[in-house]
Amino acid sequence: MSVGLPHYLVVSALLFSLGLLGVVARRNVLIIYMSLELMLNAANLALVAFSRYHEQLNGQVMVFFVITVAAAEVAVGLALIVALYRRRHSVQVGDFATLRH
Amino acid sequence: MTDFAAIGLELAVAATGLAVLLLDLWVRPEQRRWLTWTAVLAVAGIFVASFALTLPEPARLFGGLYVLDELALFFKRFFLLAALLVLVVGQEFADRFPAGHAEYSALTLFALTGMMFAASANDFVLLFVALELVTITFYVLTSFQRRRVASLEAGVKYLILGALSTGFLVYGLALIFGAAGTMNFEQLAASPPAVLESRLLTVGLLLVLVGLAFKIAAVPFQFWAPDVYEGAPLPTTAFLAVGSKAAGIVLLLRVWFVAAPALTASWAGPLLVVTALTLLYGVLCAIPQRSLKRLMAYSSIANAGFLLLGFCSGSAAGVAAVLFYLGGYLFAVLAIFLVATLAWRGTDTDAIADLAGLGQRSPLLAGVLTLGLVSLAGVPPLAGFFGKFLLLKSVLASATLHPGLYAVAAVALLAVVISLYYYFGVIRVVYWGQQAAAQQPPILLAWPARAALGLCVFGLLWLGCFPANVLNLAQLAAQSLPWR
């Protein structure tokens, strides 16, 4: 059995769903953040697979942009989470309730 | 026009941002405020320079990634004007930041660069990068008052939900690329019918629309807005409400009308439902609010609904109305936030009740605030009235296409009536509210703040009384989308 486009897409969809599940179900900000990165990487995998399938490099170039943006997002995000941790001494989203609906 | 000459406006803004960031290292602390005024002057200069740019025909540059047409130019001028006023608000707010005043101005300019690139996006790659430049900058701007827990919490909340919407957006991009083999809007629209009808493309486009609906805070992706607007510093809230929303709108215009016009035309029904729900959710939830920032958050959701009316009508007149409406919205929102910043100097409040007595403390500020609120409420002869009138007119003009358009126009009228209640509630507090025990001192205004207030008032009156000039620009801009 050779590994083709559908296999990559199934793995990518699974990764995306796992990430989404993590964001919705977990209560720890850091784990939520890791799950978000998982969602981005699921998209990266799909982009590379499609790029190979269409035999053009656009998709892979896009992956570089996504990786770069994700790195910037992580840098800003972790700084924010650390700053909030210093004030709140917690990384549980349930404790961040100054702003209520 | 060479590639780099075309992005001259963006390069100038980015260079100004970098210059502010660098000069901050050598300027003495007591002279730092001049850095922001220099940035304000530079942005004003770039705004004026944008009118020297004439376009015989739309230019496509960087291999079709970037388009410079009248629509892009209209939004670039809009963003420059918004950032100009936000910089002034930021300078007036600077006493409430612990440090990093120059960084705040620089970050505002970087967000402006992202918005200006978004105005020219003709490809999903540039759409993604420009949107992220705006969003990531806003994470920092939102949590800039890092001694205030609410500001940090708002930043983290925006971060998580913003990153989630980015995840949907990127996955959508991957699926669109998979279906069509291209990420260019025009090439996508010219794809063979088998591609345009594929389920992969439909799902991908829906995911991209989720990401954009999050940016403009349309129901059901509006839940982040009230908390983030409330926690963020006032100038950031103003920039979120105006700049970030307009960046979402221009990208939505391009995706909706350029990338997949046939597909999106078949989604008229769901769009009508989303528009009506956004309008109703915004106005109904705004009624019980006691915080001005939360009120403005729900008002911005309702305004996203009004802007979506132009998409519902699906005509050039509708898009022109959206652009004109955004102009009025810009001046009204920035007038309100500028007044709030000046009136609440030295305090850490955002309660509407604390505006009580403003009518006596500063008749000028109270008058400008009233003008802004009345324009948002849509009372003639101000800008907001004419914008709402144009939007409703465009919806009724296309009502033969879809019977639901009559219903959505009725909902919009109802929303206007309900919104009168809460906007006038604020005005009542300003003039007739119960004051705190001690008589508060009158408010002194520096000349830059006076100039910015004057600009807002001029914009509101000019757009309301003499709409022809800006409306011509808006109609010209709407014509640069492909209409069949």
Side-chain angles (χ1 to χ4, degrees), chain B residues 203-448:
Chain B
V203 176
L205 207 57
L206 274 177
L207 288 174
V208 169
L209 290 180
V210 167
L212 293 178
F214 176 88
K215 288 306 291 178
I216 68 166
V219 171
F221 308 103
Q222 86 299 349
F223 42 80
W224 60 278
D227 286 0
V228 173
Y229 277 45
E230 187 186 356
L234 280 164
T236 305
T237 313
F239 209 23
L240 264 179
V242 175
S244 179
K245 186 169 300 250
I249 289 286
V250 64
L251 290 172
L252 201 54
L253 279 173
R254 298 248 188 227
V255 171
W256 195 265
F257 292 111
V258 180
L263 198 55
T264 51
S266 67
W267 292 341
L271 176 68
L272 289 175
V273 175
V274 166
T275 308
L277 287 178
T278 308
L279 281 166
L280 287 178
Y281 181 88
V283 290
L284 290 177
C285 291
I287 292 173
Q289 299 308 324
R290 300 217 176 104
S291 151
L292 183 71
K293 284 196 237 168
R294 272 189 107 80
L295 178 82
M296 290 308 291
Y298 287 111
S299 151
S300 96
I301 294 171
N303 279 302
F306 281 113
L307 291 166
L308 285 177
L309 283 178
F311 290 82
C312 291
S313 63
S315 62
V319 173
V322 167
L323 303 187
F324 187 88
Y325 188 86
L326 273 172
Y329 180 68
L330 163 91
F331 289 117
V333 168
L334 282 161
I336 292 168
F337 277 95
L338 189 54
V339 171
T341 306
L342 294 166
W344 289 331
R345 175 170 288 148
T347 63
D348 188 31
T349 176
D350 63 348
I352 294 169
D354 289 333
L355 284 172
L358 188 65
Q360 284 100 52
R361 288 173 70 202
S362 173
L364 172 68
L365 287 185
V368 175
L369 182 62
T370 308
L371 266 185
L373 289 165
V374 167
S375 173
L376 274 186
V379 174
L382 295 172
F385 163 75
F386 207 73
K388 287 195 168 79
F389 170 76
L390 286 172
L391 280 170
L392 281 173
K393 193 177 135 207
S394 75
V395 167
L396 291 177
S398 341
T400 45
L401 298 177
H402 198 291
L405 282 166
Y406 283 114
V408 89
V411 170
L413 272 178
L414 180 70
V416 171
V417 174
I418 299 174
S419 74
L420 284 174
Y421 171 76
Y422 56 81
Y423 289 129
F424 279 86
V426 178
I427 296 174
R428 199 189 62 212
V429 171
V430 168
Y431 287 102
W432 297 285
Q434 286 290 318
Q435 271 194 65
Q439 186 68 36
Q440 286 164 309
I443 301 165
L444 297 174
L445 297 178
W447 66 264

Side-chain angles (χ1 to χ4, degrees), chain B residues 113-129:
Chain B
T113 315
M115 289 169 193
M116 289 171 71
F117 272 117
S120 282
N122 194 35
D123 188 296
F124 283 109
V125 179
L126 187 56
L127 174 145
F128 169 71
V129 175

Side-chain angles (χ1 to χ4, degrees), chain A residues 43-45 47-48 58-68:
Chain A
N44 283 345
L45 182 61
L47 275 169
V48 173
N58 285 5
Q60 303 197 28
V61 173
M62 181 69 193
V63 169
F64 281 108
F65 281 110
V66 177
I67 291 174
T68 317

